[in-house]
């Protein structure tokens, strides 16, 4: 399983992707709640990989505000929890890498990333006929994009699909 996070200053989105990259658990919760969720997953030994979107600087000349730095603190807290349980650091995925990997374009927006995921894996679906992404909304799309990009950049071609139950 791949656990991936789109971090925020107060709330973060997460997804747990199975070997086929289908989201089996996901949500957007308060960061303190996510710490507990992560701890529960780590104690279950069901996480093979952990990826977090990392804050980056893109030379826009815009100053960073308090929310950016608060998000950095939470990335550190999630990292520390993972390291404490596994002795490993998570993999940090830059937003620009998600855009290039999924859309082939640095100018891609959230809606382009959502559409690229739907094009690749299938429709969202309905309550009567749930699709690949049924129930996914808002920032959870970004969390899934982190996990899929991690897979594509670090695992594809290494037999991950065959090794993980």
């Amino acid at each position: 399983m791949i656990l991936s996070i789109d971090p925020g200053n107060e709330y973060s989105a997460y997804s747990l992707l199975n070997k086929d990259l289908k989201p089996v658990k996901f949500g957007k919760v308060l960061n303190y709640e996510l710490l507990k969720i992560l701890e529960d997953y780590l104690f279950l030994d069901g996480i093979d990989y952990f990826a977090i979107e990392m804050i980056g600087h893109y030379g826009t000349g815009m100053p960073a505000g308090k929310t950016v730095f608060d998000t950095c603190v939470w990335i550190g807290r999630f990292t520390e929890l993972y390291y404490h349980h596994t002795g490993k650091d998570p993999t940090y995925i830059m937003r620009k890498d998600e855009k290039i990997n999924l859309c082939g374009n640095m100018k891609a927006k959230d809606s382009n990333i959502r559409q690229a995921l739907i094009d690749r894996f299938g429709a969202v679906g309905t309550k009567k006929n749930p699709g690949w992404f049924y129930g996914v909304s808002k920032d959870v799309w970004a969390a899934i994009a982190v996990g899929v990009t991690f897979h594509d950049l670090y695992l594809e071609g290494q037999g991950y699909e065959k090794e993980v139950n």
Side-chain angles (χ1 to χ4, degrees):
M1 298 278 217
I2 299 171
L3 177 62
S4 53
I5 296 177
D6 174 38
N9 63 316
E10 294 180 31
Y11 291 84
S12 293
Y14 73 96
S15 67
L16 188 61
L17 307 178
N18 71 12
K19 64 183 175 79
D20 298 318
L21 302 181
K22 184 173 183 170
V24 294
K25 299 255 188 210
F26 52 84
K28 182 177 177 180
V29 296
L30 284 167
N31 287 334
Y32 287 105
E33 292 176 43
L34 186 52
L35 285 174
K36 177 65 175 133
I37 291 168
L38 294 177
E39 196 159 20
D40 290 346
Y41 285 153
L42 293 171
F43 280 128
L44 294 174
D45 290 328
I47 306 302
D48 300 300
Y49 303 100
F50 183 31
I52 303 175
E53 185 176 282
M54 179 51 94
I55 300 289
H57 180 279
Y58 303 110
T60 62
M62 297 297 292
K66 181 181 181 328
T67 59
V68 171
F69 293 108
D70 288 347
T71 300
C72 291
V73 168
W74 279 104
I75 292 169
R77 292 187 75 178
F78 297 142
T79 297
E80 183 64 24
L81 179 65
Y82 184 69
Y83 185 84
H84 176 74
H85 285 284
T86 66
K88 300 182 289 188
D89 285 327
T91 301
Y92 301 110
I93 303 293
M94 303 300 289
R95 182 73 169 165
K96 66 180 180 69
D97 294 330
E98 295 167 43
K99 291 177 177 185
I100 294 295
N101 180 60
L102 296 170
C103 302
N105 186 331
M106 270 292 297
K107 294 184 180 190
K109 306 288 185 210
D110 289 348
S111 61
N112 303 116
I113 290 172
R114 178 184 184 275
Q115 190 59 54
L117 289 168
I118 291 170
D119 290 347
R120 179 169 169 180
F121 295 106
V124 175
T126 63
K127 188 173 184 177
K128 285 187 176 184
N129 188 19
W132 192 271
F133 296 111
Y134 182 72
V136 172
S137 64
K138 301 184 183 179
D139 293 331
V140 173
W141 289 103
I144 293 169
V146 170
V148 171
T149 298
F150 167 79
H151 170 269
D152 293 352
L153 297 182
Y154 295 95
L155 300 178
E156 191 168 22
Q158 296 182 22
Y160 172 68
E161 292 83 357
K162 296 177 184 131
E163 293 176 10
V164 178
N165 296 330

